[in-house]
Amino acid sequence: MDRMAAMETFVRVVDAGSFSGAAKQLRLGQPAVSKTIAQLEERLGVRLLLRSTHGLSPTEAGRNFYDRAKRAIEEADEAEVAARGAGAALSGRLRVCAPVTFARLHVMPRLPLFLAEHPVLDVDVLLSDAPKDLIEGGIDVALRLGELADSAMTARKIGQSQRRVIGSPAYFAAMGIPQTPADLAEHQAVVYDQPGGGTAWTFRRGAVEMSVSVEGRVRVSAAEGVREGVFAGLGLAIASDWMFAPELKSGALKVVLADWLLPPHDLWAVFPTGRQASAKARVFASFIEHQLADEAAPPAEALKKLAT
């Protein structure tokens, strides 16, 4: 039995949750995959998988084996990349976790280019606004926005976006345009009720600093809800350029108080703690970093037009 091939087969089975799913990924027949797992369990002398009508799940021994097998495969990939040089093709499967709205607007549209650059690499994208356990989820790299709650995480900042006061032209036509941050007290906000959102904001303009608390009848727990609330005219939003990128570019939404600065929004690439980030994870993080950096920011003239 080829030990590395058997480990990769087992990892694929756990990731796919079925023999058939792993067989499809490996381009093998399902009986061949089942036989490999049976031989692996026989050689190790332990049960690795629990079979039920609901599918497959790893036993405790299987979970331990999965973590170490995945690490061994990553290290083997790293060794091959190092031996072949920087131009070596990446292969296997990359598992990425990203916030729903950010992924929809800024990751998924760029995946065709990334996959074209790495034609033998497959990508799983887990969409979630809530932080996930990277080790438990078998995640190679997670994209996270804002401040990191755990300073012990293995992370690298790969992007930064400005926050702005944003609303629909119809809303501002009906409610008026705030001239200073203090005027926001007279407006409704669609409040993003998550870390990095909330109602307390500090604006700066030169040496002047002004803290305000916005109010809103609508609070939402996901960025998609903030977007839809603004489109519906429920209020303005204090949000990053990333959240409303298409609409800011097209002019469908309006920026106000453009001469006041808000704390920027950071994007982090987070890797599983306690292990070296795989070449695939590092390359993906760098790809997203360069793509965002290459995306032209709206020039000052364009922002002035949006604000008038």
Side-chain angles (χ1 to χ4, degrees), residues 178-211:
Q179 301 301 313
T180 71
D183 295 342
L184 294 175
E186 305 301 321
H187 286 262
Q188 284 290 307
V190 181
V191 178
Y192 184 37
D193 203 13
Q194 289 286 354
T199 61
W201 296 94
T202 299
F203 291 79
R204 289 184 176 87
R205 186 174 64 181
V208 178
E209 182 175 295
M210 187 178 298
S211 297

Side-chain angles (χ1 to χ4, degrees), residues 54-305:
H54 301 293
L56 299 174
S57 61
T59 62
E60 182 177 355
R63 174 55 64 183
N64 290 334
F65 184 75
Y66 171 88
D67 290 339
R68 288 162 175 76
K70 187 174 179 66
R71 191 177 309 168
I73 293 167
E74 291 173 351
E75 290 176 351
D77 289 342
E78 290 274 353
E80 289 188 5
V81 170
R84 292 173 182 170
L90 298 176
S91 61
R93 182 165 295 274
L94 172 70
R95 283 178 62 81
V96 177
C97 183
V100 177
T101 300
F102 184 85
R104 180 172 68 80
L105 296 176
H106 303 287
V107 177
M108 302 307 294
R110 292 176 165 89
L111 273 186
L113 177 59
F114 182 75
L115 293 175
E117 292 178 355
H118 307 284
V120 292
L121 179 66
D122 297 330
V123 179
D124 293 343
V125 183
L126 174 63
L127 302 180
S128 175
D129 287 341
K132 297 291 183 182
D133 186 307
L134 274 59
I135 299 295
E136 183 178 340
I139 297 167
D140 300 296
V141 57
L143 302 180
R144 293 185 181 171
L145 295 165
E147 295 183 7
L148 296 181
D150 185 355
S151 61
M153 289 180 176
T154 304
R156 181 168 68 86
K157 189 167 77 173
I158 62 173
Q160 189 175 80
S161 175
Q162 290 299 314
R163 283 191 177 100
R164 308 188 193 279
V165 180
I166 300 168
S168 69
Y171 171 82
F172 289 121
M175 302 301 296
I177 296 176
Q179 301 301 313
T180 71
D183 295 342
L184 294 175
E186 305 301 321
H187 286 262
Q188 284 290 307
V190 181
V191 178
Y192 184 37
D193 203 13
Q194 289 286 354
T199 61
W201 296 94
T202 299
F203 291 79
R204 289 184 176 87
R205 186 174 64 181
V208 178
E209 182 175 295
M210 187 178 298
S211 297
V212 301
S213 180
V214 298
E215 298 294 336
R217 297 175 62 193
V218 177
R219 293 175 177 245
V220 295
S221 60
E224 287 292 283
V226 176
R227 283 175 52 83
E228 293 305 317
V230 170
F231 299 153
L234 294 173
L236 53 79
I238 297 178
S240 71
D241 290 347
W242 286 328
M243 188 184 291
F244 291 99
E247 294 76 26
L248 292 176
K249 185 175 182 180
S250 69
L253 293 181
K254 184 181 183 70
V255 171
V256 298
L257 301 177
D259 54 344
W260 289 85
L261 295 178
L262 283 156
H265 208 36
D266 294 332
L267 174 67
W268 300 85
V270 182
F271 308 97
T273 301
R275 71 174 64 165
Q276 183 180 7
S278 68
K280 292 176 286 190
R282 293 200 312 270
V283 168
F284 179 80
S286 295
F287 171 81
I288 295 297
E289 180 179 20
H290 294 148
Q291 287 289 304
L292 292 176
D294 290 343
E295 187 177 68
E301 291 76 10
L303 286 177
K304 288 180 181 178
K305 290 180 180 179

